[in-house]
Amino acid sequence: MDVIGIDEAQFFDDLYDFCCKAADHDGKTVVVAGLDGDYLRRRFGSVLDIVPLADSVTKLTARCEICGKRAFFTSRKTEDTETELVAGSDVYKPVCRQHYVDSPVVIEAARVILESRKVQSDAHVEPIPLAC
């Protein structure tokens, strides 16, 4: 085979090493499809790590489920907060920037994550002894 196709690339831990070996050392054409960000617009998997290896990159978009504009983001229809929640259109919807920012699910999830990080960082703060 001369061409290797990888779908759902965000779930492969060895994506960078595999693509590098297959393309650079084995002479294969590697076509990769996957998400570069999660529903909170954070890096998802190692898809972004392979961009410097690529001969070309095409970023595809959907249409916003609410207004029909180009949808660069994914919003959840549920209040689940785990990063990897495998589901379809019953849980996820493509949205434009405005409808992403206005999403109550995203706003609440971001608040919960920020609060948990604050609690974790507060728990690790040790008092500094003062010399008298």
Side-chain angles (χ1 to χ4, degrees), residues 77-78 87-92:
K77 298 176 183 180
T78 68
S89 61
D90 56 322
V91 173
Y92 294 104

Side-chain angles (χ1 to χ4, degrees), residues 43-59:
R43 166 187 293 273
F44 193 11
S46 56
V47 172
L48 293 173
D49 296 336
I50 65 168
V51 171
L53 300 176
D55 294 338
S56 67
V57 175
T58 303
K59 186 165 180 167

Side-chain angles (χ1 to χ4, degrees), residues 8-16 34-38 42-50 83-84:
E8 299 288 350
Q10 69 273 11
F11 295 121
F12 292 90
D13 293 332
D14 63 343
L15 184 66
Y16 182 90
L35 300 174
D36 59 358
D38 67 7
R42 297 176 300 191
R43 166 187 293 273
F44 193 11
S46 56
V47 172
L48 293 173
D49 296 336
I50 65 168
T83 299
E84 292 185 22

Side-chain angles (χ1 to χ4, degrees), residues 54-132:
D55 294 338
S56 67
V57 175
T58 303
K59 186 165 180 167
L60 303 176
T61 59
R63 292 282 168 203
C64 179
E65 193 173 285
I66 299 167
C67 69
K69 292 181 184 175
R70 289 180 70 191
F72 296 98
F73 309 108
T74 301
S75 182
R76 281 197 181 159
K77 298 176 183 180
T78 68
E79 294 182 15
D80 294 308
T81 59
E82 62 266 21
T83 299
E84 292 185 22
L85 176 61
V86 179
S89 61
D90 56 322
V91 173
Y92 294 104
K93 65 181 172 186
V95 290
C96 65
R97 182 175 302 275
Q98 187 60 52
H99 287 112
Y100 178 86
V101 171
D102 292 343
S103 169
V105 172
V106 170
I107 293 167
E108 177 61 16
R111 186 190 63 74
V112 168
I113 289 170
L114 290 173
E115 283 181 4
S116 71
R117 287 185 181 165
K118 181 180 182 327
V119 168
Q120 289 171 359
S121 67
D122 289 348
H124 296 303
V125 174
E126 296 183 22
I128 301 170
L130 299 175
C132 294

